[in-house]
């Protein structure tokens, strides 16, 4: 199926490149593919090498030479990764998704499309609204995004994990249920905690707790409270930390999760002992 390509990031010499693309298409229409390719290696213009390769890749993609286009896009993606250029990453990943889709490698296409959405921060090639963009995702897209986010967390790519989770959460808010939203908020809390943004992490876990409370999911309410307790402890809010763990114990007891209750009780006792030490005046020794 035909697909539109994303706008190309601005770079010096692109006007000349656009002229070359038009000339190349004209040569292809005349059956002169070799001459068309050669145009992209002309030294008559001044543009970054990645721009030349990106335009060549898009030209090859549009003229049905998908494997060759992937080779060019892969080189440009390496450049984008080295420079941390998120816009270029998004453009290249979208192109790779189109190429793999045309080659019927649908799993790879879906993966690169997810990368494109993440790096593009939900700004699509057609400038669709958030609702329009999310409506095009499959019913399982949020689960796929969350799975990819968990992979990113394990790889310590917290920026990517956060973007994927925000996309998933946006879709769940529009179409999902409280449990799914709570899961995304909880995962976002974990990411924010790992990034050291404790205040933001507390906000995320509170949102997760409120949603789990709506469905009276006692075990997950307890786990949210445990996470909040650890965050409060790290922030030096020791009494708030122990209060959260006491409340989580009640949730685990009501839901008869003995193992969770036992682990939480052990952590609470450890906190209480440490709190006594912190409260003890060393000058009294």
């Amino acid at each position: 199926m035909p697909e539109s390509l994303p706008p190309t990031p601005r770079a010096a010499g692109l006007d000349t490149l656009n002229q070359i693309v038009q000339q190349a298409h004209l040569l292809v229409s005349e059956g002169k593919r070799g001459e068309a390719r050669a145009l992209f290696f002309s030294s008559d213009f001044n543009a970054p090498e990645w721009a030349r390769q990106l335009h060549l890749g898009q030209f090859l993609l549009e003229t049905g030479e998908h494997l060759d286009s992937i080779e060019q896009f892969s080189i440009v993606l390496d450049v984008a990764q080295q420079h941390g250029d998120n816009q270029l990453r998004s453009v290249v990943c979208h192109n790779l998704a189109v190429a793999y889709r045309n080659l019927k490698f649908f799993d790879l296409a879906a993966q690169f499309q997810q990368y494109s959405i993440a790096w593009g921060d939900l700004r699509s090639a057609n400038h669709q609204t958030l609702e329009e963009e999310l409506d095009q995702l499959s019913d399982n897209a949020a689960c796929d995004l969350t799975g990819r986010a968990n992979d990113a967390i394990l790889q310590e790519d917290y920026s990517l994990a956060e973007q994927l989770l925000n996309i998933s959460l946006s879709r769940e808010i529009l179409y999902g249920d409280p449990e799914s939203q709570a899961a995304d908020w909880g995962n976002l809390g974990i990411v924010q905690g790992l990034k050291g943004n404790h205040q933001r992490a507390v906000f995320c876990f509170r949102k997760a707790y409120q949603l789990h409370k709506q469905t009276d999911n006692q075990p997950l309410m307890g786990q949210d409270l445990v996470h909040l307790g650890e965050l409060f402890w790290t922030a030096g809010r020791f009494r708030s930390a122990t209060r959260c763990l006491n409340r989580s114990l009640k949730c685990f007891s009501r839901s008869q999760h003995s193992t969770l209750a036992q682990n939480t009780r052990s952590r609470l006792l450890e906190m209480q002992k440490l709190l006594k030490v912190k409260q003890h005046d060393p000058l009294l020794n």
Side-chain angles (χ1 to χ4, degrees):
M1 68 188 81
E3 295 192 55
S4 59
L5 300 180
T8 305
R10 296 300 302 168
L14 288 186
D15 289 339
T16 307
L17 272 172
N18 288 331
Q19 293 174 10
I20 286 174
V21 171
Q22 292 176 6
Q23 289 179 302
H25 278 289
L26 179 61
L27 287 170
V28 167
S29 69
E30 297 172 353
K32 302 175 182 177
R33 284 185 174 268
E35 293 179 38
R37 280 200 190 202
L39 288 175
F40 291 90
F41 298 96
S42 169
S43 58
D44 295 336
F45 59 88
N46 177 28
E49 187 64 18
W50 65 260
R52 184 202 306 258
Q53 290 166 321
L54 179 60
H55 275 74
L56 174 58
Q58 290 183 333
F59 168 74
L60 293 170
L61 185 57
E62 291 168 348
T63 54
E65 299 182 64
H66 306 309
L67 284 173
D68 289 345
S69 74
I70 288 170
E71 181 180 355
Q72 298 300 319
F73 293 140
S74 297
I75 295 170
V76 181
L77 185 57
D78 285 341
V79 174
Q81 300 279 32
Q82 290 169 17
H83 291 87
D85 189 334
N86 288 351
Q87 184 189 6
L88 186 56
R89 281 169 169 161
S90 178
V91 169
V92 176
C93 286
H94 179 89
N95 283 310
L96 284 166
V98 175
Y100 282 120
R101 196 171 291 117
N102 286 329
L103 290 168
K104 302 193 184 304
F105 292 118
F106 298 119
D107 289 342
L108 274 173
Q111 186 175 17
F112 277 105
Q113 196 68 68
Q114 288 173 10
Y115 288 146
S116 174
I117 293 169
W119 293 124
D121 212 11
L122 284 176
R123 289 188 292 272
S124 72
N126 297 321
H127 307 288
Q128 299 175 99
T129 65
L130 174 62
E131 290 80 2
E132 290 170 335
E133 184 106 17
L134 294 175
D135 191 47
Q136 293 188 11
L137 299 176
S138 69
D139 291 339
N140 296 323
C143 293
D144 294 337
L145 289 168
T146 302
R148 275 289 303 119
N150 288 334
D151 289 339
I153 291 171
L154 293 172
Q155 295 163 0
E156 299 184 5
D157 191 345
Y158 303 135
S159 177
L160 176 59
E162 184 177 1
Q163 290 182 73
L164 290 167
L165 287 167
N166 278 323
I167 295 166
S168 177
L169 177 61
S170 298
R171 191 176 194 282
E172 294 295 1
I173 288 172
L174 287 172
Y175 308 115
D177 54 38
E179 291 285 352
S180 300
Q181 293 175 45
D184 284 336
W185 278 115
N187 284 325
L188 281 168
I190 290 171
V191 171
Q192 295 297 335
L194 290 168
K195 291 173 69 174
N197 301 331
H198 295 140
Q199 187 173 354
R200 181 64 184 171
V202 167
F203 172 82
C204 292
F205 280 118
R206 278 178 168 161
K207 291 288 290 185
Y209 175 78
Q210 290 165 1
L211 288 162
H212 285 138
K213 191 174 182 180
Q214 286 181 22
T215 58
D216 195 32
N217 191 324
Q218 294 289 329
L220 293 182
M221 286 168 61
Q223 290 186 30
D224 295 333
L225 288 165
V226 168
H227 285 301
L228 284 167
E230 294 294 348
L231 286 167
F232 286 137
W233 184 264
T234 302
R237 298 172 61 182
F238 305 125
R239 293 191 181 282
S240 294
T242 55
R243 279 199 295 270
C244 281
L245 263 63
N246 270 314
R247 289 174 63 189
S248 70
L249 270 177
K250 294 178 182 177
C251 292
F252 294 142
S253 297
R254 282 195 289 265
S255 58
Q256 298 181 342
H257 277 69
S258 57
T259 302
L260 291 174
Q262 183 178 350
N263 292 339
T264 303
R265 190 174 291 107
S266 298
R267 179 58 175 146
L268 178 59
L269 290 173
E270 181 183 5
M271 282 185 178
Q272 290 170 337
K273 289 178 182 178
L274 288 169
L275 187 55
K276 285 181 180 179
V277 172
K278 291 176 184 295
Q279 291 173 335
H280 183 68
D281 187 350
L283 296 177
L284 298 177
N285 288 338

